[in-house]
Amino acid sequence: MKVFLVGANGQIGRKLVELLGSSSEHSVRAMIRNPEQANELEKLGAQTVVANLEGSVSELAEAVKESDAIIFSAGSGGSTGSDKTLLVDLDGAAKMVEAAEQAGVDRFVIVSALQAHNRENWNEKLRPYYAAKHYADKILESSSLNYTIVRPGGLLNEPGTGKVEASKNLGRASIPREDVAQTVLAALTEEHTFKRSFDLISGDHSIPDALKNL
Amino acid sequence: MKVFLVGANGQIGRKLVELLGSSSEHSVRAMIRNPEQANELEKLGAQTVVANLEGSVSELAEAVKESDAIIFSAGSGGSTGSDKTLLVDLDGAAKMVEAAEQAGVDRFVIVSALQAHNRENWNEKLRPYYAAKHYADKILESSSLNYTIVRPGGLLNEPGTGKVEASKNLGRASIPREDVAQTVLAALTEEHTFKRSFDLISGDHSIPDALKNL
């Protein structure tokens, strides 16, 4: 698959670039805001495309055309305020959904957050962030696209274990970013994840088994 | 109609309380966060109900039950940050939509902002606010409710003229809050506004004519 990656410079994004860049099954085009980011990502095996999530839908549609799938793992991050949460995590994601529809890119996998679909379980200190993720996910679910929404628990930088638990509703727990990236990659082509949303934490199952048993 | 008003303490909300409170056709229940706000609104002819847009959907559903219609003119206002824009203007509105569905209150009129549906026309300084309104409107449009979305231009405190222009797309212009309140009131029972969204500015038409010709 020709995979278009949004958020390639994020921590999960970089792992996805490495995995996709070294895959024989896929190729990866990484969206970057700044041409200076190109060199490093190209070394990891990605092509790069300059575009901005705060730009227009038509600019984004132009960037994604001829891709087979979009992975959205972008986020404005903790260092900016809720202004950017609204404009990047929510509106940016929604624009990318519209761009995918316009460009005829049917497959769309988004990295969300554990329990983003249940307001009562939102992390109290991060409620605005969870609200943005919640509505971005809703927009994707109500789109015409073949979506998968992956909602990982607390993200760790330790090495992946390859063992996860995936289900509609899971209690608060953590997972290495590497396992999230591996799960997103596996979900791309696993039909059992099509039009499905699930929580994801560390667990006892191999990633393929966890996805098949959703 | 028994009208449930969210945002009764806002500037448009107060005018709506006055109009509804003195109407022979309608009665008004005003949602308030703080019991201390009750006295003043009751003097204007409203009953009051204590509930919080940052509370749960079930709390809001309890508050709206037995109403015939909901008017949502609440906003977190300019003095708080985008955190509250996300949690009140977007999530609060969406929760109220869910509460209406749960409680079987079918009619829902929301006060939005001119061109909130067209990103390219969002006020550059207020983009996060417009994003929140945009998605709140989208959630309402994709609900099962009989909605009307009123998108007024720049709000003025001068007296109303009773003359407006209403249409799907209008250029940037202003309108007195009093005319917005009168239009919302007229829209409540005007079938031609059912399941419709429109921009609203000062113009040449009487409010009933403007709504009939949408």
Side-chain angles (χ1 to χ4, degrees), chain A residues 79-105:
Chain A
S79 62
T80 55
S82 287
D83 281 22
K84 291 292 180 191
T85 307
L86 262 162
L87 294 179
V88 174
D89 302 62
L90 173 51
D91 196 37
K95 282 190 285 192
M96 193 54 67
V97 168
E98 288 175 38
E101 289 178 322
Q102 277 185 24
V105 181

Side-chain angles (χ1 to χ4, degrees), chain A residues 54 57 81-87 90-92 94-95 98 119 122 127-129 131-132 134-135 138-139 142, chain B residues 54-55 57 81-87 90-92 94-95 98 119 122 127-129 131-132 134-135 138-139 142:
Chain A
E54 295 189 62
V57 171
S82 287
D83 281 22
K84 291 292 180 191
T85 307
L86 262 162
L87 294 179
L90 173 51
D91 196 37
K95 282 190 285 192
E98 288 175 38
R119 288 188 191 94
W122 291 355
R127 287 191 76 79
Y129 170 75
H134 178 77
Y135 292 102
K138 281 205 164 215
I139 295 287
S142 64
Chain B
E54 295 189 62
V57 171
S82 287
D83 281 21
K84 291 293 180 191
T85 307
L86 262 162
L87 295 178
L90 173 51
D91 197 38
K95 282 190 286 191
E98 289 176 37
R119 289 188 191 94
W122 291 356
R127 287 191 75 79
Y129 170 75
H134 178 77
Y135 293 102
K138 281 205 162 215
I139 297 286
S142 65

